[in-house]
């Protein structure tokens, strides 16, 4: 019995020791954390400031606007009336000189239509002359007068039909109104019947321009003659120089804002590269200044309407200094006074 009691006591002592060890470990961790916190409060970490000098050089303010390529001279050429194509003088992609015949349609059907309309006109004319003979020198009742008016309209319509058929015959050949490229053709072969809505599309590539959309908040900064660099999605590694040629007086509405259309000519560039509808961006130069002192835009702060920068005042120390500013770009701002080239300012991290 004594042996069993001693064994039970040993187990109890061992269990109590394990519980006390866990509490001791927890107390040590808490004490260590508290000590680290107290040490940190007593010895705060000093933030190292990054200093840079103002830069002197060229400062360029630009505005980026998206758009696409269009052409000032383009024509959608159609026959006045439908007909069978009997001649094609150009195919899609061909360069066409002004005055060249692009296509002609069979004029025989048009001629027959003209003859038919002339016959109808002659018939209506005879009927009208008879109406005049039957109604002269007497007052007409309302019903008979209305019938006479309708006969007059029928005669007038036959005259119009004759004129329309004559125009169709005269215009059975489509002629290029200017030098250009045939960019679209409704048929590639003859013998096809075209309707009056089928069109041949002609574009003068020397009239190509980039049409950029400028938000109404920025349009007041755009002026004719301002230089620009155009980057097209099709040629991401190339830049094409141009300039503002025209700013529209009429606004256009997009899904998000009101914009004004700005034209930048591309006729002086390599026309073989460009196609109608190519998308891209124009970087328009709004203002340029030479030999100016500037600092990063994020280095300034504005308080109570005044502008400040933090200037180095000692080892890892800085103080606010008021400055006056000028030209502002997306990344930098001109310093007119308050700094010189030897100052060092704090660059925010």
């Amino acid at each position: 019995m004594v042996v069993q009691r001693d064994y039970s006591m040993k187990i109890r002592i061992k269990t109590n020791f394990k519980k006390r060890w866990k509490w001791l470990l927890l107390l040590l961790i808490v004490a260590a954390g508290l000590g680290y916190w107290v040490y940190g409060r007593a010895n705060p970490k000093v933030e190292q400031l990054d200093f840079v000098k103002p830069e002197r050089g060229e400062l360029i303010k630009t505005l980026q606007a998206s758009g696409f390529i269009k052409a000032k001279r383009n024509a959608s050429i159609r026959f006045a009336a439908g007909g069978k194509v009997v001649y094609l003088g150009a195919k899609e992609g061909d360069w066409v000189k002004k005055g060249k015949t692009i296509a002609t349609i069979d004029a025989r059907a048009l001629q027959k239509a003209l003859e038919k309309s002339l016959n109808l006109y002659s018939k209506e004319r005879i009927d009208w002359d008879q109406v005049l003979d039957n109604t002269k020198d007497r007052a007409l009742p309302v019903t008979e007068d209305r019938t006479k008016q309708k006969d007059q309209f029928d005669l007038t319509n036959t005259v119009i039909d004759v004129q329309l058929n004559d125009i169709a015959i005269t215009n059975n050949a489509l002629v290029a109104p200017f030098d250009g490229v045939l960019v679209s053709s409704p048929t590639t072969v003859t013998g096809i019947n075209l309707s009056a809505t089928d069109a041949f599309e002609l574009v003068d590539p020397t009239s190509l321009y980039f049409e950029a959309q400028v938000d109404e908040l920025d349009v007041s900064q755009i002026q004719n003659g301002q230089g620009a660099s155009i980057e097209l999605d099709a040629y991401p590694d190339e830049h094409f120089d141009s300039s503002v040629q025209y700013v529209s007086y009429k606004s256009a509405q997009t899904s998000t804002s009101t914009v004004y259309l700005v034209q930048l000519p591309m006729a002086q560039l390599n026309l073989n590269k460009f196609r109608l509808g190519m998308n891209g961006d124009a970087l328009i130069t709004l203002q340029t200044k030479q030999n100016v002192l500037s600092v990063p835009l994020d280095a300034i702060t504005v308080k109570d309407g005044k502008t400040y920068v933090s200037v180095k005042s000692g080892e890892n120390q800085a103080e606010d200094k008021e400055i006056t500013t000028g030209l502002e770009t997306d990344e930098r701002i001109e310093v007119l006074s308050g700094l010189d080239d030897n100052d060092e300012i704090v660059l925010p991290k």
Side-chain angles (χ1 to χ4, degrees):
M1 295 298 290
V2 175
V3 174
Q4 290 180 349
R5 189 180 301 113
D6 291 343
Y7 178 74
S8 176
M9 184 174 294
K10 289 180 179 179
I11 293 174
R12 193 179 300 114
I13 292 172
K14 187 175 181 180
T15 302
N16 290 336
F17 177 77
K18 287 183 177 179
K19 291 181 178 178
R20 290 174 181 174
W21 179 84
K22 291 180 180 178
W23 279 105
L24 287 172
L25 180 61
L26 180 60
L27 288 172
L28 286 173
I29 293 173
V30 172
L34 183 60
Y36 182 79
W37 178 78
V38 171
Y39 177 82
R41 290 290 299 271
N43 301 276
K45 184 179 180 180
V46 179
E47 180 183 6
Q48 293 297 316
L49 301 178
D50 290 335
F51 295 99
V52 295
K53 286 189 175 184
E55 294 182 4
R56 183 171 294 278
E58 182 182 61
L59 201 60
I60 303 175
K61 183 177 183 180
T62 60
L63 176 68
Q64 182 171 310
S66 299
F68 56 92
I69 294 178
K70 298 181 70 174
K72 283 189 175 181
R73 300 185 71 192
N74 59 84
S76 182
I77 311 169
R78 299 177 174 87
F79 289 107
K84 180 186 291 186
V85 178
V86 294
Y87 170 76
L88 282 173
K91 62 180 182 297
E92 185 175 318
D94 284 351
W95 179 267
V96 181
K97 297 290 291 182
K98 179 180 179 180
K100 178 180 175 60
T101 298
I102 296 174
T104 59
I105 56 175
D106 191 348
R108 292 176 297 176
L110 298 175
Q111 185 64 46
K112 291 299 181 182
L114 176 61
E115 292 176 7
K116 182 179 178 180
S117 62
L118 284 170
N119 290 336
L120 289 174
Y121 165 74
S122 298
K123 176 180 175 302
E124 291 293 338
R125 183 68 199 185
I126 292 172
D127 292 342
W128 176 248
D129 289 341
Q130 188 62 54
V131 169
L132 292 179
D133 290 338
N134 295 337
T135 58
K136 65 181 179 179
D137 301 328
R138 67 184 179 89
L140 299 179
V142 174
T143 302
E144 192 174 356
D145 186 60
R146 288 175 178 172
T147 301
K148 181 180 178 182
Q149 291 179 27
K150 290 192 291 184
D151 290 338
Q152 174 73 72
F153 292 145
D154 289 339
L155 178 62
T156 301
N157 285 338
T158 59
V159 173
I160 294 174
D161 288 338
V162 170
Q163 293 172 337
L164 289 175
N165 282 286
D166 183 58
I167 291 172
I169 291 175
T170 304
N171 294 280
N172 75 310
L174 294 183
V175 177
F178 51 79
D179 294 350
V181 176
L182 188 65
V183 298
S184 177
S185 173
T187 181
T188 58
V189 295
T190 58
I192 302 297
N193 283 309
L194 299 181
S195 68
T197 58
D198 293 320
F200 295 80
E201 301 286 341
L202 187 68
V203 171
D204 177 6
T206 64
S207 70
L208 292 182
Y209 66 95
F210 187 85
E211 183 178 84
Q213 297 181 347
V214 176
D215 191 274
E216 64 176 329
L217 298 177
D218 299 317
V219 71
S220 61
Q221 304 178 74
I222 305 297
Q223 299 177 6
N224 288 345
Q226 289 174 329
S229 176
I230 299 172
E231 180 179 314
L232 300 173
D233 294 348
Y235 305 103
D237 298 325
E238 296 186 60
H239 298 273
F240 306 98
D241 293 332
S242 186
S243 61
V244 175
Q245 185 181 64
Y246 174 74
V247 182
S248 65
Y249 286 93
K250 183 180 179 181
S251 65
Q253 194 69 37
T254 68
S255 58
T256 57
S257 63
T258 299
V259 299
Y260 288 83
L261 304 179
V262 177
Q263 296 180 6
L264 302 101
M266 304 186 74
Q268 75 279 15
L269 306 175
N270 187 349
L271 299 179
N272 292 327
K273 280 179 170 286
F274 307 133
R275 298 291 183 272
L276 291 176
M278 281 185 172
N279 296 293
D281 295 294
L283 195 65
I284 303 172
T285 300
L286 303 178
Q287 190 175 355
T288 302
K289 282 190 173 183
Q290 304 292 337
N291 194 34
V292 298
L293 196 67
S294 68
V295 297
L297 193 59
D298 57 359
I300 68 170
T301 57
V302 178
K303 303 175 185 177
D304 300 326
K306 296 181 180 180
T307 304
Y308 299 88
V309 290
S310 293
V311 180
K312 185 176 182 179
S313 59
E315 186 64 31
N316 202 44
Q317 293 181 343
E319 60 181 6
D320 286 345
K321 191 173 185 181
E322 184 182 354
I323 62 172
T324 56
T325 59
L327 181 62
E328 179 180 329
T329 70
D330 292 336
E331 297 180 353
R332 302 188 69 83
I333 187 167
E334 178 188 10
V335 178
L336 298 175
S337 65
L339 287 181
D340 59 43
D341 298 71
N342 296 321
D343 284 327
E344 293 184 56
I345 62 172
V346 177
L347 186 65
K349 296 182 179 180

